[in-house]
Amino acid sequence: MDAGVGLRAKPGAWAGLGNPHRSSTARFPVRFAAEKLAQPLVLGSDRRSCGAKLKVSCSRKPAGIEKAYYSADEALLLKQKAEDVVPYLNDRCIYLVGMMGSGKTTVGKILAEVLGYSFFDSDKLVEKAVGISSVAEIFQLHSEAFFRDNESDVLRDLSSMHRLVVATGGGAVIRPINWSYMKKGLTIWLDVPLDALARRIAAVGTASRPLLHQESGDPYAKAYAKLTALFEQRMDSYANADARVSLEHIAVKQGHNDVTVLTPSAIAIEALLKMESFLTEKAMVRN
């Protein structure tokens, strides 16, 4: 889960992190979840209404979601690169993949805003679909497999739509069926060094991270060990993404030694650059 609504582009904010109970093991359709959303999880324009199975109203400035703030230079670059990318997207959805805490939600909301897309967090839709207020609680009351089944349902329904930026859960990549849904759009891997992830997660706690919360001991050490094991299981799956956004690469370009000083908008700019490169190369091959 990469929650977090405020998108002010401050150094160190690159990994914005972010709940009735139901004991039945029955699965609920995603459209049920979408219809129950109290507020639309949307940023961007209203040029295309959201339809299909997810009946969520689209609005230019939904209640409860702050507008992102950037420096003048970043705002200009974001605008320019978004204008370059849009003609090649053809209304395809964008799926952000990556480890927990990698900033998928924070960066995803920026991308949705500048591209005129709508934004969804797949974890939040699963929570709404099953009537349980957090992923950690879903794991506790049911199982990881139950969560993964509902996650696949969410991605299936989202894949039938257009003009969405979707922040996926860290483990969404492990099921091949999920890739069949996400590959209908464009997939972007936010690749963050494990040390930086462990430091960030240790600082805010692991209560919302069910795959990290079982072990006792030093928060950083247990976070780093578990993240390392998870990454080894998932790295080949992450590499299936159409484009990779390496925070280490961005930091080197900016002359930094620490990726945690990067702003979310800087990461979003790099994501747009990678998207443009992938899409233009694909268009050249097709022609």
Side-chain angles (χ1 to χ4, degrees):
M1 294 175 290
D2 296 281
V5 169
L7 299 180
R8 298 178 186 276
K10 297 179 180 179
W14 57 272
L17 298 172
N19 272 295
H21 303 286
R22 201 183 293 266
S23 60
S24 170
T25 56
R27 286 153 59 188
F28 296 81
V30 179
R31 57 181 173 274
F32 172 84
E35 289 166 354
K36 293 295 184 182
L37 290 175
Q39 298 172 341
L41 298 175
V42 175
L43 286 175
S45 76
D46 51 5
R47 285 180 287 176
R48 178 183 295 258
S49 62
C50 293
K53 296 181 181 179
L54 287 172
K55 299 176 182 177
V56 180
S57 61
C58 293
S59 62
R60 185 174 296 275
K61 189 178 180 182
I65 295 181
E66 261 187 80
K67 180 178 175 62
Y69 290 88
Y70 328 108
S71 70
D73 288 343
E74 287 176 328
L76 181 60
L77 274 174
L78 283 165
K79 180 177 183 296
Q80 290 174 339
K81 297 321 299 178
E83 290 174 349
D84 290 340
V85 168
V86 165
Y88 294 98
L89 281 172
N90 294 323
D91 292 347
R92 280 174 290 189
C93 294
I94 297 166
Y95 298 88
L96 298 180
V97 302
M99 292 287 286
M100 63 182 77
S102 58
K104 298 183 294 289
T105 291
T106 304
V107 173
K109 288 179 178 179
I110 295 174
L111 291 173
E113 182 172 8
V114 299
L115 291 170
Y117 272 35
S118 300
F119 174 80
F120 286 100
D121 181 321
S122 66
D123 281 355
K124 295 300 180 185
L125 287 177
V126 172
E127 292 168 6
K128 293 292 181 180
V130 302
I132 297 175
S133 57
S134 73
V135 172
E137 198 167 2
I138 295 172
F139 273 56
Q140 180 181 5
L141 293 176
H142 299 292
S143 64
E144 180 178 358
F146 175 86
F147 172 82
R148 297 296 175 202
D149 288 343
N150 282 276
E151 179 179 59
S152 293
D153 289 346
V154 163
L155 293 173
R156 178 198 63 214
D157 284 0
L158 290 174
S159 72
S160 69
M161 300 176 68
H162 301 283
R163 300 177 59 81
L164 304 179
V165 175
V166 180
T168 68
V173 297
I174 63 178
R175 286 193 172 185
I177 188 65
N178 294 343
W179 281 104
S180 72
Y181 302 139
M182 295 190 293
K183 283 294 186 176
K184 294 179 181 180
L186 185 66
T187 50
I188 310 296
W189 172 23
L190 298 188
D191 185 10
V192 182
L194 297 182
D195 173 67
L197 287 178
R199 281 187 282 138
R200 181 67 176 92
I201 291 172
V204 300
T206 59
S208 64
R209 310 283 175 180
L211 294 179
L212 298 184
H213 197 53
Q214 296 86 352
E215 299 88 353
S216 60
D218 175 68
Y220 169 82
K222 73 174 185 178
Y224 185 79
K226 186 63 176 180
L227 288 168
T228 299
L230 287 172
F231 184 73
E232 288 176 353
Q233 297 169 12
R234 300 172 179 176
M235 60 182 177
D236 290 340
S237 297
Y238 288 136
N240 286 327
D242 297 316
R244 170 176 170 257
V245 175
S246 167
L247 269 66
E248 284 187 315
H249 177 69
I250 304 171
V252 169
K253 286 200 301 184
Q254 295 191 359
H256 301 306
N257 294 321
D258 186 355
V259 300
T260 61
V261 304
L262 299 176
T263 63
S265 45
I267 301 167
I269 290 167
E270 183 72 11
L272 289 168
L273 288 168
K274 294 294 186 178
M275 290 162 57
E276 180 186 19
S277 176
F278 172 79
L279 291 168
T280 53
E281 288 179 13
K282 188 174 180 179
M284 289 176 62
V285 169
R286 189 167 55 243
N287 294 330

